Amino acid sequence: MPGHDQKHAERGAGPHLVLAGGGTAGHVNPLLSVAAVIRERRPQASISVIGTAVGLEHDLVPAAGLPLDLIEKVPFPRRPGKAALDFPRRWRREVQRVRGYLQDRSADLVVGFGGYASAPVYRAARNLGLPIVVHEQNARAGMANKLGARWADFVGTAYEDTGIRARAGVPVRRVGLPLRPAIARLAKQMETDRSGARRESARSLGLDPDRPILLVTGGSLGALSLNKAVAGAARQLLDRTQVIHLTGRGKTGQVKEQVAANLCDAAINDLDPAHRGQGDYHMAEYLERIDLAFACADLVVCRAGAGSVSELAALGVPAIYVPLPIGNGEQRFNAQPVVQAGGGLMVDDAALDAKWVGEHVPALMADKDRLADMRRRAWGYGIRDAAQVMAEQILTMAGQHIARKDSGRA
């Protein structure tokens, strides 16, 4: 069986990069964004991904044209029990499986983006003496990336003060969130022609670009509290603004009933440009091209997931963030920095109701100067080149690793 160096030579100079992460879109999208930039800058690079069969990576990674090596999901035990007793055996098995993947792929460097798949990859890479790069997209680092940072050679974060600790001499740098390609393209367009991007996007969704636009979204599954609060204030909102309400899958019927009760069916519209002018409350379960809604929105009401906050800040779109009221308040930490920078507002989920929306949102939509200031401040806080910075760091470090190996063989 050929050794590592022989296989590396047979596969070409590379570099051979293994990316790890998955579970949610928050882990998978940054991974794919960085991979796309690496392929653009170094077409000869070999890139593969390690993930699980139960996360979004199972579909998204192959769809992006990247090979996916699968491991089992091994959550860190948080309390005593059968899972805790079984953890060491399962952990060793998956670390050994990853080690085989890294050797088969002739890996020069490993990049982890968090999630269940990353932790055993960090351990196996450490055992093999491979350089490790970590990217943390949340304001509070997850357990896998905290582990990986102990062995990492570079740590990039989307936020300052994530709680992640690297070993002495290893940089921990706020690089931002690697943006999805559609968002990255929109950011470039908005930097040079924000007005043109707004007009084009508004028209494509059947809205009037010359009137204010409010976007409401709770993500692909929607958010019941956001839906009820905004729909309950539909009359006050339509006095000031057009509304794009992305209700979440299976929730349009409830919102439609509530809006119709406050107004009438004639006020309700969809996002078909052929229906422009047939109602100002535009409703859909989900919008695949969310970049179009971001481009034309004057204000967004949304949850405070790390991806949403980073993308809206990168685009300079003001938002009212309503953190998901579960866990340890992670979403509140995500929104806090941009809110403190003046690029958004934050409202507790318990405080958000139709009365609050009716009293605050129409007035803000009418205040063009305040929205313009929030837009400038959000843009100033946002970062738009994270994927490029991460890709450059990865390629540089991989090149250094290859050079060290070559000099050792000389």
Side-chain angles (χ1 to χ4, degrees):
M1 186 173 177
H4 179 278
D5 293 336
Q6 182 182 342
K7 285 193 292 183
H8 193 289
E10 289 171 355
R11 294 182 182 211
H16 299 276
L17 308 171
V18 176
L19 281 52
T24 66
H27 298 301
V28 180
N29 285 334
L31 182 156
L32 294 177
S33 297
V34 172
V37 175
I38 291 172
R39 288 199 290 191
E40 180 183 298
R41 295 195 174 190
R42 196 72 58 85
Q44 73 272 27
S46 171
I47 305 173
S48 64
V49 178
I50 294 177
T52 71
V54 295
L56 290 179
E57 67 271 21
H58 184 259
D59 297 320
L60 297 181
V61 168
L66 295 171
L68 176 65
D69 294 320
L70 295 174
I71 61 173
E72 294 292 324
K73 177 178 168 181
V74 187
F76 290 114
R78 296 179 182 270
R79 59 182 63 88
K82 184 178 182 300
L85 291 173
D86 198 35
F87 176 78
R89 178 189 63 82
R90 296 180 62 206
W91 171 258
R92 286 192 297 268
R93 182 190 66 201
E94 296 313 309
V95 169
Q96 191 60 31
R97 193 196 305 267
V98 170
R99 183 186 180 102
Y101 288 148
L102 296 179
Q103 291 175 324
D104 288 343
R105 297 287 184 186
S106 300
D108 293 309
L109 180 142
V110 160
V111 189
F113 292 84
Y116 293 118
S118 293
V121 175
Y122 293 141
R123 176 74 261 187
R126 167 71 170 174
N127 292 346
L128 291 170
L130 295 173
I132 297 171
V133 172
V134 172
H135 184 273
E136 174 58 55
Q137 80 276 11
N138 288 302
R140 291 295 179 268
M143 292 178 69
N145 278 349
K146 284 184 176 180
L147 175 69
R150 292 165 50 188
W151 305 315
D153 300 279
F154 178 82
V155 179
T157 68
Y159 292 88
E160 304 282 2
D161 304 321
T162 62
I164 210 162
R165 296 289 179 266
R167 55 196 170 90
V170 171
V172 177
R173 176 181 167 194
R174 183 191 171 220
V175 299
L177 182 79
L179 300 176
R180 292 179 286 170
I183 301 298
R185 288 191 295 270
L186 175 58
K188 286 185 178 179
Q189 185 180 3
M190 293 178 85
E191 190 167 15
T192 57
D193 187 13
R194 178 178 286 269
S195 176
R198 171 189 165 81
R199 299 189 72 83
E200 180 183 338
S201 298
R203 286 174 175 150
S204 72
L205 297 176
L207 282 88
D208 182 351
D210 295 319
R211 296 169 54 217
I213 297 171
L214 172 71
L215 168 63
V216 183
T217 174
S220 60
L221 298 179
L224 184 60
S225 58
L226 270 65
N227 286 349
K228 289 178 65 176
V230 174
R235 182 178 296 279
Q236 297 99 307
L237 290 172
L238 291 194
D239 285 341
R240 294 285 189 183
T241 183
Q242 302 166 94
V243 177
I244 300 173
H245 192 153
L246 305 180
T247 65
R249 293 191 174 96
K251 297 180 174 66
T252 299
Q254 304 164 5
V255 175
K256 189 174 289 188
E257 286 181 13
Q258 196 174 358
V259 173
N262 284 330
L263 296 162
C264 62
D265 286 334
I268 298 171
N269 203 343
D270 54 25
L271 295 173
D272 185 340
H275 299 157
R276 181 180 171 187
Q278 297 180 20
D280 284 339
Y281 203 103
H282 299 259
M283 201 180 303
E285 288 191 345
Y286 181 71
L287 181 61
E288 189 70 35
R289 290 290 309 279
I290 189 68
D291 55 298
L292 296 176
F294 285 170
C296 65
D298 297 291
L299 180 70
V300 179
V301 178
C302 61
R303 290 299 192 197
S308 297
V309 175
S310 293
E311 289 184 348
L312 290 171
L315 296 171
V317 180
I320 297 173
Y321 295 106
V322 188
L324 194 65
I326 62 171
N328 298 316
E330 291 90 347
Q331 288 204 352
R332 173 172 290 275
F333 293 125
N334 291 337
Q336 210 159 26
V338 70
V339 169
Q340 289 174 342
L345 304 175
M346 185 155 46
V347 182
D348 287 341
D349 187 81
L352 187 82
D353 56 17
K355 183 173 184 292
W356 191 96
V357 172
E359 289 177 352
H360 293 86
V361 177
L364 181 54
M365 294 298 297
D367 192 340
K368 292 183 179 180
D369 290 341
R370 187 179 179 194
L371 283 176
D373 184 61
M374 291 174 70
R375 188 161 52 243
R376 286 191 295 271
R377 291 173 181 271
W379 181 272
Y381 174 79
I383 295 178
R384 286 157 285 280
D385 64 350
Q388 289 74 19
V389 169
M390 286 296 296
E392 192 60 40
Q393 185 71 37
I394 290 162
L395 289 171
T396 297
M397 290 175 58
Q400 291 169 346
H401 177 70
I402 292 170
R404 284 194 297 270
K405 286 197 307 181
D406 289 345
S407 65
R409 289 196 298 268

